[in-house]
Amino acid sequence: MRVALAQIAPVVGAFDANVALIEAAYDRACKAGARLLLTPELGVCGYPPHDLIERPEIFERNDRAVDQLRKRTEGQECALIVGHVDANPYSTGRPARNCVSVLEGGKRVHHQAKTLLPTYDVFDEARYFEPAREVKPWICDGVPIAVSICEDLWGADSVWGRRLYGSDPVERYRAAGVKLILSSSASPYEWGKGRHREEIHAEVAKKLGSPLLYVNQWGATDEILFDGASFALDPAGQVQGRLPHFADGFATVDVVTNGTGNPTWTADAGVETGGELEVLSRALVTGIREYFSRTHFKMAVLGLSGGIDSAVVATLAAKALGPKNVLGVAMPSQYSSSHSLSDAELLAKNLGVKLEVRPIKFLFSTTNRELGEARGGLKPLAQENLQARLRGLTLMTLANHYGALTLTTGNKSELAVGYCTQYGDMVGALAPIGDLFKTRVYELARHLNAAWGAPIPEGSLTKPPSAELAPGQKDEDSLPPYALLDPLLSDYLEQRLSVAELVKRHESKHRPKDGSKTGSWVRDTLRLIEVNEFKRRQAAPVLKVSGKAFGIGRRIPLAKVWDQ
């Protein structure tokens, strides 16, 4: 049996465009002699639709799209497997279901709702969907085929340390004696997830003794990035072929369903090389490009300080949008170093992006005098934040002027401990590196230089990190060294270790400064994380590339008592 896989990038709500993508892939599958075509989860409406599910038009629009695709299969031998929203046919439960339908010969010949509805991290499917009440295979040419939807094959995932669901559709597939497993998926990207994803599905293939074909969407919906990376597994769980990350892909797989032969894979594109940093760079470029495309903006504005964070964001933006659509703004104050401007100018020249120099010296001195005159002068922290807010004001005004969006340049380390200014450097429409710790930003910068012709100046890579808001200021004046801070933040935010374990693991590596509130740098840092939650709640959307990013996947109360 020849099966075609279509790795496409559906857009939430763009029914006509999504149907066109599926139709083009279907025509190609027919020409390739495929018996069926597998497309991604909720490919008709895009994933995740969130509260659009509550709109009364959602069912009519999905039904109309599915009906158009059904008609496309008339007179064809190739079946089409398509994901869509469907109304719950029962009188109880949530009104919608996450479904796949098999369309063949102008008819809907099989229909399956999703059984396992993830409600963790960025997922909230149980809020909207009613789970399937039964799981049945599709019988195609006498072959029982499991047509599953994403999470339905993740029931045995060990990441959470316990089973999340009381039932496992895989057991029902085994009882039904399926000979082929298909997965229609919308699985988000995160660092290192690809290998784990393949391992989970390999266990399913081995458990059922059947080949498994997995197709994933790619693209980006707000903060959530989808990497594609579709694949085929033989009954022993060995990978027989992969599609690339963050790109369209099409493959045909000749599957043996009544013997021990391995699937034969033919694809139009190979898998990229370069390791996880290359995948990460593609993820962030995709996130920027798709955010601008789907919100109908072309131009980005961002501050260029000569530092590593703004250099990386500018490099990614130039790749995503084209250099002519990126405006860098240098905003030196009386505290800016000479190399701050020279490195910004060199970066702009290397990237081919426009640069405007908008000094804030006069704005700062005037505002500082006016606001501080009746108060005996503003306090040092207020003066630092005033500079950041004047820069934010400048960027947002220029963005309005040019009809552009502002990109923020803060990293995860800064967002975690509040080393950022609300309504200052945090203002903007998107935070491309807000889920990268500072040390990972440096790793990515070196990779971008190696892969993209060294656009980032050496000075940005070697100078000590500094906000340059006070004379001679360095980040380490206020924070532990990033080489020590980032592992602690990772263990707390992403690995969810207890405070006692964090103290045991990290306390001896650093000595707190004289201003320590607790005598423990670990507890001081954890306190900073907690008291700055209000800033993150108002931050720009962060492109999610880790297991736990700031944003919709992390929900912490603002008004709380949570002593460390």
Side-chain angles (χ1 to χ4, degrees), residues 1-5 28-38 77-79 138 140-141 145 180 182 213 250-257 264-266:
M1 179 182 295
R2 175 166 292 180
V3 181
L5 308 181
R28 186 172 180 182
C30 291
K31 291 178 182 178
R35 181 63 182 85
L36 60 98
L37 169 68
L38 180 64
E77 295 183 2
C78 182
W138 169 44
C140 177
D141 301 338
I145 299 176
L180 174 63
L182 305 177
L213 307 182
F250 183 89
T252 58
V253 189
D254 292 325
V255 181
V256 178
T257 58
T264 302
W265 171 275
T266 304

Side-chain angles (χ1 to χ4, degrees), residues 311 315 343 346-348 350-351 445 448-458:
T315 303
D343 284 339
L346 180 56
L347 174 73
N350 291 345
L351 293 175
L448 296 180
N449 268 1
W452 297 354
I456 299 174
E458 187 65 20

Side-chain angles (χ1 to χ4, degrees), residues 200-277:
I200 287 290
H201 289 83
E203 290 303 311
V204 173
K206 289 188 287 187
K207 182 180 291 186
L208 300 184
S210 303
L212 187 154
L213 307 182
Y214 169 94
V215 68
N216 190 27
Q217 78 167 45
W218 76 278
T221 301
D222 300 340
E223 305 102 313
I224 308 174
L225 310 176
F226 299 95
D227 55 337
S230 307
F231 54 82
L233 303 175
D234 65 20
Q238 298 298 309
V239 177
Q240 299 299 308
R242 296 183 179 94
L243 286 174
H245 295 85
F246 295 103
D248 285 331
F250 183 89
T252 58
V253 189
D254 292 325
V255 181
V256 178
T257 58
N258 58 356
T260 58
N262 292 336
T264 302
W265 171 275
T266 304
D268 61 355
V271 179
E272 68 287 334
T273 59
E276 198 66 36
L277 283 169

Side-chain angles (χ1 to χ4, degrees), residues 453-508:
I456 299 174
E458 187 65 20
S460 297
L461 284 160
T462 57
K463 73 178 73 172
S466 171
E468 294 192 336
L469 298 174
Q473 186 183 56
K474 301 290 185 292
D475 287 8
E476 289 188 16
D477 296 339
S478 304
L479 302 175
Y482 287 112
L484 301 178
L485 176 64
D486 287 354
L488 170 63
L489 296 176
S490 177
D491 281 347
Y492 180 67
L493 296 169
E494 298 175 3
Q495 306 305 319
R496 298 180 290 278
L497 297 186
S498 70
V499 175
E501 180 63 28
L502 293 169
V503 170
K504 180 180 178 182
R505 181 176 293 194
H506 296 280
E507 189 63 60
S508 63

